[in-house]
């Protein structure tokens, strides 16, 4: 495991310790490979625990590189009544432009950690640092 990955994991663990009381609410969707190029890092590979930020989080590129703890809180539709599986820590590497279906657009691998991908979209609590 490279030094960069260890730092990202350490940041993620610290971020996950932040009280959920300070979390924002929204929705999560997912996108599929290829994950490069990205708005923040061009053709640099940042792995698969990544996400694209909507305007709610983007803040004129200031979201690039932030780590977000994302936790599924429930369904957005009746198709999958209990989609949630848990939480995940992701790195913001891309922008989800206006019309983005969710507050945060997770890689499919990251979305699969928090919810059944068949749900397509779920309610979340998230905290980005």
């Amino acid at each position: 495991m490279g030094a960069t990955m260890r730092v990202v994991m350490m940041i993620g663990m610290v971020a996950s310790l932040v009280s959920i009381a300070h979390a924002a609410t929204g929705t999560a969707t997912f996108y599929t490979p290829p994950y490069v190029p990205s708005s923040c890092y061009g053709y640099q590979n940042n792995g698969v625990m990544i996400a694209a930020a909507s305007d709610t989080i983007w803040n004129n590129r200031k979201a690039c590189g932030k780590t977000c703890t994302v936790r599924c809180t429930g369904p957005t539709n009746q198709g999958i009544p209990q989609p949630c599986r848990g939480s995940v820590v992701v790195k913001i590497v891309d922008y989800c432009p206006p019309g983005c279906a969710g507050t945060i657009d997770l890689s499919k691998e990251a979305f699969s950690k928090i919810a059944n991908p068949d749900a397509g979209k779920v309610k979340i609590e998230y905290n980005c640092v």
Side-chain angles (χ1 to χ4, degrees):
M1 182 182 316
T4 301
M5 182 54 96
R6 284 194 294 268
V7 170
V8 169
M9 288 177 65
M10 289 174 58
I11 292 170
M13 288 189 292
V14 170
S16 66
L17 296 175
V18 175
S19 170
I20 205 69
H22 294 98
T25 59
T27 57
T29 52
F30 68 88
Y31 63 113
T32 58
Y35 298 131
V36 292
S38 69
S39 296
C40 299
Y41 298 99
Y43 285 93
Q44 177 182 323
N45 182 346
N46 283 279
V48 296
M49 292 300 134
I50 56 173
S54 70
D55 284 330
T56 303
I57 300 168
W58 185 243
N59 195 16
N60 199 28
R61 300 182 75 89
K62 290 179 184 162
C64 287
K66 289 190 179 231
T67 56
C68 300
T69 301
V70 182
R71 184 176 71 86
C72 179
T73 60
T76 59
N77 60 56
Q78 298 303 313
I80 308 291
Q82 296 181 352
C84 296
R85 294 181 176 162
S87 64
V88 69
V89 176
V90 294
K91 179 180 179 180
I92 299 296
V93 300
D94 215 345
Y95 175 60
C96 193
C100 186
T103 308
I104 191 165
D105 200 19
L106 302 169
S107 67
K108 186 172 184 179
E109 294 85 351
F111 189 93
S112 296
K113 296 279 186 190
I114 69 163
N116 180 340
D118 291 339
K121 182 178 186 178
V122 292
K123 295 177 185 175
I124 59 165
E125 289 182 335
Y126 67 95
N127 188 20
C128 300
V129 292

